[in-house]
Structures are given as C-alpha cells and as structure tokens.
C-alpha cells in the first residue's frame, strides 16, 4: 500500500467521493484514507452512516448528496440495479468536473445508461469522464460491516472504456487501482461480461446447486420410499443429513463459498448478464454430462486422463 505520508498526486488536490459503503465501498474508503486521501461517502440510511462513522470507513459520511461537492473522483459503489437506473438525486449531486467510475460486475449495459444520463446533465465532456470499471475482489460478507483493508491487493481491476473516453479520466482511475495495489486490466465490455460469466457468475450458481444437491440427497428427496422390511435402509437415510453436515470440510467449504454468499448480488449478476450466464451454464452442463458418461461406462482410464488435464489446467487460472 502507499505510504500515508506520501499520497499519490491524484489525491493531493481534492477529496474522493464514494457512493455506497458496502463491501467494496467500505474497503475503498479504508484503503484510500490509508493512502492519505480525504474520502467523502454518501449512503442512503442514517443508521448506515452512524455505523460507517464508528468504523472509520470514510472521512465524512452523510445521507445528503451535497457531501460529494468538490470531489475530483466519485466511485459509484452501488448495487447493479441502482447502477442501471441511477437515482435522479444522485445524478444532480455529481460534481460536473468529476471523473466517475463504478464497481459493477456487469459492464455492457452500464456505459450507454450513464453516458446518456451524463450527457443530459452536462453535455459531451461530462459523459466522456465516466469510466466503467470492475474491481474483481470480494468476500462472502455484505453491508456496512463488510469493508476490510487491502481487499484489492493483487486482484484485477478491470476497465472497459469507450472509444471516446477521456484519457485523463482513464488515467485517474488507473492511478486509483495502482494506489489500492490492484492489477490493471483494460478490455472490451462484451469480452468482460463473457469472461466473468464463466469465472465469477457461473461459480455462484454451480456452488448453489452443489449445496442444494447435498441437502436434498442427504434428506432422501427423490429416493424411493422404504418398505416395512427395510428398517436398516430407513435408519441409514435418517442419519444421513446430520452426517453430511458433520463431514463437510475444507473442500466442500471452498467449492460452495460463493453459493453461500450475498443472494441479492448473485441474482443481480444473473439478471444483468443473462445471455452470457446462460451460455456458461450450457457449457457446464455439457462438461457434467461428459463426466457422467465416463462414470456410467466405468471408463476409469479416460476419467483419470481428464482429471489429470484439469489438474494441469488449474494453475493457468490462478
């Protein structure tokens, strides 16, 4: 992280605005203050503001949109549904000269929404100062209690600028990512959405399906009813749910972590990136079918070959 006594030039002349103090916004606030920045945060509820002040998530926390006045950079750390339908009061409160960026996990739909809204507010220059971005970092936590220090260190910070995005605005967001220790990645919005469908959105649904399967199967759902003569089978099935939960360990925890995370976020990701998520699910279903057929055929040699290839493939993703 940057030495607090030597803030980067981007934060020397003006405060940074953060709209929303959930996991991403709260973590941004903590790290930017460590980097020597003044952080002015806007939240919706006074109870959130009070708790955010207690946690020191920002220099100033308010429910009044005027708190953003004078900010050179405003980070929109809002849920995807609010990013796709920005509140009018927020739009009116944005400083006309500020660079804007968001942290949404879907990029394709955002640029036209914000470009049009900002063009109506302040014209072409203001629209060009919006930089769509996505810091790919997180935990299973959410809300004002979720923000942590160093969340973005060594994690990708993806930007998907338009052809006419202001180069100075892009440079300012690049400096933000560098200050937070993130890895800068610049790509096309459609490519971003297709990629995150596979490595971020699909895992949420896959791990949710695994949790459902373990729960339903251990409870005997879908199993044939036991006959009066099968007391031992009945006893076995009645003890299985407790045993499954008792034996679940690190492998199950790692595989199901994202499926047990924020359900609102998972739903919004699927809604906002529906077509790419459907394609990812279809590809995953094909892979499951392939594995099922190998087990049915008892083709252990080919199964081992496939698992060996997967073992060698995994480090390329991590």
């Amino acid at each position: 992280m940057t030495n607090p006594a030597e803030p980067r030039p981007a934060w020397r002349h003006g405060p940074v605005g953060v709209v929303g103090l959930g996991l991403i916004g709260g973590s941004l606030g903590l790290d930017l203050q460590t980097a020597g920045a003044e952080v002015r945060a806007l939240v919706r509820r006074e109870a959130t503001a009070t708790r955010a002040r207690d946690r020191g998530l920002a220099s100033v926390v308010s429910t009044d949109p005027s708190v953003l006045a004078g900010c050179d950079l405003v980070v929109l750390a809002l849920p995807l549904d609010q990013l796709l339908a920005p509140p009018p009061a927020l739009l009116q409160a944005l400083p006309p000269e500020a660079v804007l960026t968001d942290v949404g996990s879907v990029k394709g739909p955002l640029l036209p929404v914000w470009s049009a809204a900002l063009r109506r507010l302040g014209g072409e220059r203001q629209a060009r100062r919006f930089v769509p971005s996505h810091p790919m970092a997180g935990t299973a936590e959410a809300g004002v209690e979720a923000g942590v220090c160093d969340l973005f260190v060594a994690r990708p910070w993806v930007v998907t600028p338009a052809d006419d995005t202001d180069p100075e605005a892009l440079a300012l967001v690049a400096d933000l990512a560098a200050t937070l220790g993130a890895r800068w990645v610049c790509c096309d919005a459609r490519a971003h959405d297709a990629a995150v469908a596979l490595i971020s959105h699909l895992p949420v649904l896959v791990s949710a399906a695994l949790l459902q399967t373990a729960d339903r199967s251990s409870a005997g759902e879908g199993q044939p009813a036991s006959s009066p003569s099968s007391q031992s089978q009945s006893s076995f099935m009645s003890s299985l749910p407790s045993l499954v939960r008792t034996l679940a360990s690190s492998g199950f925890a790692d595989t199901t972590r994202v499926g047990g995370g924020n359900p609102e976020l998972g739903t919004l990701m699927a809604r906002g990136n529906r077509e790419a998520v459907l394609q990812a699910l279809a590809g995953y279903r094909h892979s499951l079918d392939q594995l099922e057929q190998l087990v049915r055929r008892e083709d252990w040699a080919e199964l081992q070959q496939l698992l060996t290839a997967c073992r060698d493939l995994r480090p390329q993703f991590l």
Side-chain angles (χ1 to χ4, degrees):
M1 299 299 297
T2 304
N3 188 319
E6 299 177 359
R8 289 176 174 269
W11 324 127
R12 195 183 300 278
H13 303 298
V16 179
V18 177
V19 183
L21 287 177
L23 171 64
I24 300 298
S27 300
L28 277 167
L30 290 169
D31 285 349
L32 284 172
Q33 289 177 95
T34 298
E38 177 189 353
V39 179
R40 298 181 183 176
L42 173 64
V43 297
R44 294 174 62 188
R45 300 178 180 86
E46 187 55 45
T48 302
T50 299
R51 183 56 184 147
R53 294 185 197 107
D54 292 342
R55 294 202 60 212
L57 297 183
S59 314
V60 181
V61 185
S62 178
T63 59
D64 184 346
S66 67
V67 72
L68 300 176
C71 292
D72 293 333
L73 170 68
V74 176
V75 182
L76 304 164
L78 293 169
L80 191 58
D81 56 343
Q82 293 181 43
L83 288 171
L84 290 171
L90 171 61
L91 290 171
Q92 292 295 332
L94 294 172
E97 295 301 312
V99 171
L100 303 179
T101 191
D102 73 294
V103 300
S105 64
V106 178
K107 303 274 52 106
L110 286 184
L111 185 60
V113 167
W114 279 89
S115 293
L118 293 172
R119 198 171 283 113
R120 288 193 298 270
L121 275 176
E124 198 64 35
R125 172 174 163 74
Q126 191 167 355
R128 293 176 61 234
R129 291 175 72 79
F130 174 69
V131 181
S133 72
H134 177 203
M136 298 197 65
T139 70
E141 306 304 318
V144 71
E145 303 292 342
V148 293
C149 296
D150 295 332
L151 180 69
F152 309 100
V153 173
R155 302 303 305 160
W157 190 295
V158 188
V159 293
T160 59
D163 292 338
D164 63 348
T165 297
D166 186 336
E168 290 185 2
L170 189 60
L172 188 61
V173 178
D175 190 73
L176 169 68
T179 298
L180 299 171
R183 293 191 289 109
W184 182 251
V185 179
C186 189
C187 67
D188 175 78
R190 290 172 298 180
H192 166 276
D193 290 355
V196 297
L198 290 166
I199 51 86
S200 180
H201 302 169
L202 177 63
V204 171
L205 302 181
V206 167
S207 62
L210 177 56
L211 282 164
Q212 283 186 317
T213 302
D215 181 55
R216 290 173 178 170
S217 297
S218 68
E221 292 186 24
Q223 302 293 329
S226 299
S227 65
S229 60
S230 59
Q231 277 190 327
S232 61
Q233 174 71 7
S234 178
S235 175
F236 161 76
M237 291 306 299
S238 66
S239 66
L240 190 56
S242 175
L243 185 61
V244 167
R245 285 163 173 75
T246 299
L247 296 182
S249 189
S250 58
F252 189 80
D254 291 344
T255 311
T256 59
R257 179 183 66 82
V258 290
N262 185 347
E264 181 182 9
L265 178 59
T267 303
L268 288 172
M269 289 190 301
R271 277 181 55 190
N273 203 19
R274 178 176 176 272
E275 292 305 318
V277 168
L278 286 173
Q279 290 182 16
L281 283 168
Y284 186 71
R285 186 177 296 109
H286 174 75
S287 294
L288 280 179
D289 290 343
Q290 180 184 14
L291 289 166
E292 181 180 357
Q293 289 305 312
L294 292 177
V295 175
R296 284 187 181 280
R297 296 199 309 261
E298 300 185 30
D299 193 342
W300 312 127
E302 187 171 345
L303 178 61
Q304 182 172 342
Q305 186 177 8
L306 187 151
L307 293 176
T308 300
C310 290
R311 180 200 64 191
D312 297 340
L313 189 60
R314 186 171 184 268
Q316 300 177 33
F317 288 87
L318 301 174

